[in-house]
């Protein structure tokens, strides 16, 4: 293996999504620490902070690949940033390791997807919600590809199941004026709310729904839950009132009682005793960096083609469970967990499924709609 392999880390640790980026960067640093603790000395991390400027992600990827010699980049959080970076990664024959939940309908030879796609979060979420709360949801989303695509899929799933979408509204990224949307929800009285807002918009919306529930018990979480597919532990402190009782569907929660997670948290406590709850961002970023290093070592070099072939060739132990990456789509099979926000700014696990093979284009998932959703009168 060459002397030292440089791996780029591309996260914004400042700005509206700074809490997510800081957690992801810490997860990357812990992965390197674990590697070095076990005697590894052939990997180095190179960090670039785009400061939440979309155009700076492209600058960062160019700097990491051209100036620092990184052939692998772990990073980006939003789909907009991922799509900004992919063409440059393709141009340099590199590999982007993407570890956030996203809207699917993408598969790229130059991307390893460690984050969940809709058949791993949205479909099992609806399987849980519809029998318990009904089939008349209200959809809110960020006015970009994540919100558009997630709500489009939600409409398709609900309509195919015989349900009705009571409303669908969007907010610009970072917009926090949610009063009109909340008033519309109060009037239409849905059976549940699918929240595809992100960052400050999501925090403001969840806080406003909590205030609505104080005035109208019909909107208490047990009666009309707000469910997200991207809300993690590290964001809960940013929500006024904490949004206790609301739901999030993810591939990892701090409180998982698995042997992998218990060992992971024990090592983390030894490294940073002050660490609080582990977020999905931290665990997924750790996993992406650890897998990248392990595959490079197994290959003996950092050639992206060889590393990709190594990654898809076998199962890899991780804090997310034993990961299998599909050789056709480059997506990892991931577990589904549904958590309810508690008063300690964490999640109580209320539902789980073992690792679900990724189906980013919903080809298999759409062939068996009856297995996923059934009509409930509400």
């Amino acid at each position: 293996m060459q002397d030292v392999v440089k791996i780029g880390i591309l996260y914004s640790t400042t700005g509206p999504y700074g809490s997510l980026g800081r957690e992801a960067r810490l997860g990357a640093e812990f992965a390197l620490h674990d590697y070095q603790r076990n005697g590894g000395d052939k990997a180095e991390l190179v960090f670039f902070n785009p400061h939440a400027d979309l155009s700076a992600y492209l600058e960062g990827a160019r700097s990491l690949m051209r100036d620092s010699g990184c052939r692998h980049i772990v990073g980006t959080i939003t789909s907009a940033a991922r799509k900004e970076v992919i063409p440059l990664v393709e141009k340099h024959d590199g590999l982007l390791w993407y570890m956030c939940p996203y809207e699917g309908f993408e598969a790229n030879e130059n991307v390893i997807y460690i984050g969940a796609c809709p058949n791993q979060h949205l479909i099992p979420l609806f399987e849980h919600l519809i029998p318990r709360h009904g089939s008349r949801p209200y959809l809110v989303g960020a006015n970009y590809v994540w919100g558009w695509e997630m709500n489009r899929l939600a409409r398709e799933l609900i309509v195919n199941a015989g349900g009705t979408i009571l409303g669908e509204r969007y907010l610009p990224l970072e917009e926090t004026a949610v009063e009109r949307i909340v008033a519309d929800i109060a009037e239409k009285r849905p059976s549940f709310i699918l929240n595809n807002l992100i960052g400050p918009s999501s925090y403001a919306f969840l806080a406003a729904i909590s205030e609505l529930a104080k005035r109208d018990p019909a909107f208490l979480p047990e009666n009309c839950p707000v469910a997200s597919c991207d809300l993690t532990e590290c964001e809960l402190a940013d929500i006024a009132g904490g949004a206790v009782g609301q739901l999030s569907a993810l591939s990892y929660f701090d409180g998982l009682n698995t042997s992998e997670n218990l060992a992971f948290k024990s090592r983390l406590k030894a490294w940073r005793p002050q660490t609080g709850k582990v977020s999905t961002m931290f665990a997924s970023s750790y996993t992406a960096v650890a897998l990248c290093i392990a595959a490079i070592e197994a290959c003996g070099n950092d050639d992206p083609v060889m590393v990709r072939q190594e990654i898809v060739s076998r199962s890899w132990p991780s804090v997310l469970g034993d990961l299998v990456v599909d050789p056709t789509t480059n997506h990892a099979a991931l577990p589904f967990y549904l958590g309810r926000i508690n008063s300690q700014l964490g999640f109580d696990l209320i539902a789980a499924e073992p690792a679900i093979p990724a189906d980013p284009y919903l080809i298999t998932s759409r062939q068996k709609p009856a297995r996923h959703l059934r009509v409930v009168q509400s």
Side-chain angles (χ1 to χ4, degrees):
M1 184 171 170
Q2 61 203 71
D3 289 342
V4 176
V5 170
K6 294 182 178 181
I7 299 169
I9 307 297
L10 185 61
Y11 293 119
S12 290
T13 57
T14 54
Y17 311 111
S19 59
L20 297 170
R22 289 189 292 273
E23 283 287 296
R25 173 171 174 146
L26 275 175
E29 291 175 346
F30 182 46
L32 181 66
H33 166 82
D34 252 4
Y35 167 70
Q36 293 173 336
R37 182 179 61 86
N38 290 319
D41 61 357
K42 301 297 184 184
E44 175 185 330
L45 303 184
V46 182
F47 297 92
F48 189 98
N49 182 4
H51 297 288
D53 179 352
L54 186 59
S55 63
Y57 278 93
L58 189 59
E59 173 194 341
R62 184 178 293 113
S63 173
L64 290 169
M65 303 193 84
R66 184 188 61 194
D67 302 333
S68 298
C70 302
R71 304 180 78 181
H72 298 263
I73 294 177
V74 178
T76 74
I77 292 175
T78 66
S79 287
R82 182 187 73 255
K83 290 179 179 295
E84 190 81 4
V85 164
I86 285 176
L88 188 72
V89 175
E90 291 176 325
K91 177 181 176 181
H92 288 274
D93 296 320
L95 206 55
L96 174 67
W97 300 70
Y98 185 69
M99 34 59 68
C100 294
Y102 87 111
E103 65 283 347
F105 292 88
E106 181 180 298
N108 191 294
E109 289 186 355
N110 295 89
V111 184
I112 301 294
Y113 300 84
I114 308 296
C117 58
N119 81 297
Q120 297 167 313
H121 51 59
L122 182 63
I123 288 178
L125 173 64
F126 274 29
E127 287 179 331
H128 177 90
L129 288 173
I130 290 176
R132 293 165 176 80
H133 294 282
S135 54
R136 300 168 63 249
Y138 195 105
L139 313 180
V140 296
N143 192 27
Y144 92 121
V145 62
W146 163 261
W148 303 332
E149 285 298 298
M150 288 290 286
N151 284 346
R152 180 184 67 80
L153 291 171
R155 287 197 309 273
E156 181 178 318
L157 293 168
I158 290 296
V159 170
N160 286 349
T164 303
I165 302 296
L166 294 192
E168 182 175 348
R169 298 285 292 274
Y170 294 87
L171 285 177
L173 293 174
E174 302 176 35
E175 176 62 66
T176 58
V178 298
E179 295 80 9
R180 292 181 64 184
I181 294 179
V182 172
D184 195 41
I185 289 170
E187 178 183 343
K188 292 182 176 173
R189 311 186 80 75
S191 49
F192 67 89
I193 301 163
L194 180 66
N195 171 31
N196 291 311
L197 298 167
I198 61 174
S201 301
S202 180
Y203 313 151
F205 177 72
L206 287 163
I209 291 293
S210 293
E211 289 301 311
L212 173 62
K214 293 176 183 178
R215 305 189 300 270
D216 186 343
F219 293 95
L220 289 169
E222 57 268 31
N223 298 325
C224 178
V226 180
S228 309
C229 293
D230 61 351
L231 186 68
T232 78
E233 286 92 344
C234 65
E235 300 175 273
L236 300 185
D238 294 327
I239 304 170
V244 173
Q246 307 296 10
L247 306 177
S248 190
L250 297 168
S251 298
Y252 171 90
F253 285 115
D254 173 84
L256 293 176
N257 190 29
T258 63
S259 58
E260 295 90 351
N261 192 43
L262 295 174
F264 176 72
K265 291 179 65 177
S266 177
R267 297 195 309 275
L268 176 57
K269 200 69 175 175
W271 179 57
R272 288 175 61 90
Q274 73 275 28
T275 300
K277 290 183 172 60
V278 180
S279 73
T280 309
M281 294 299 297
F282 185 105
S284 297
S285 181
Y286 171 95
T287 298
V289 172
L291 284 181
C292 180
I293 293 174
I296 288 171
E297 290 226 317
C299 291
N301 67 75
D302 66 345
D303 177 77
V305 173
M306 293 181 63
V307 169
R308 178 188 175 278
Q309 290 172 346
E310 184 66 28
I311 279 290
V312 302
S313 69
R314 58 189 173 93
S315 173
W316 298 84
S318 83
V319 67
L320 305 180
D322 289 341
L323 286 190
V324 175
V325 177
D326 183 87
T328 303
T329 67
N330 280 6
H331 284 65
L334 293 167
F336 166 82
Y337 297 114
L338 184 60
R340 179 183 288 124
I341 301 172
N342 60 39
S343 58
Q344 286 75 49
L345 299 183
F347 288 93
D348 296 324
L349 184 65
I350 62 172
E353 288 189 30
I356 302 169
D359 183 14
Y361 293 95
L362 296 182
I363 296 169
T364 303
S365 304
R366 283 174 167 162
Q367 290 171 353
K368 301 177 181 178
R371 187 185 79 82
H372 296 293
L373 301 173
R374 59 188 178 89
V375 176
V376 174
Q377 298 300 324
S378 60

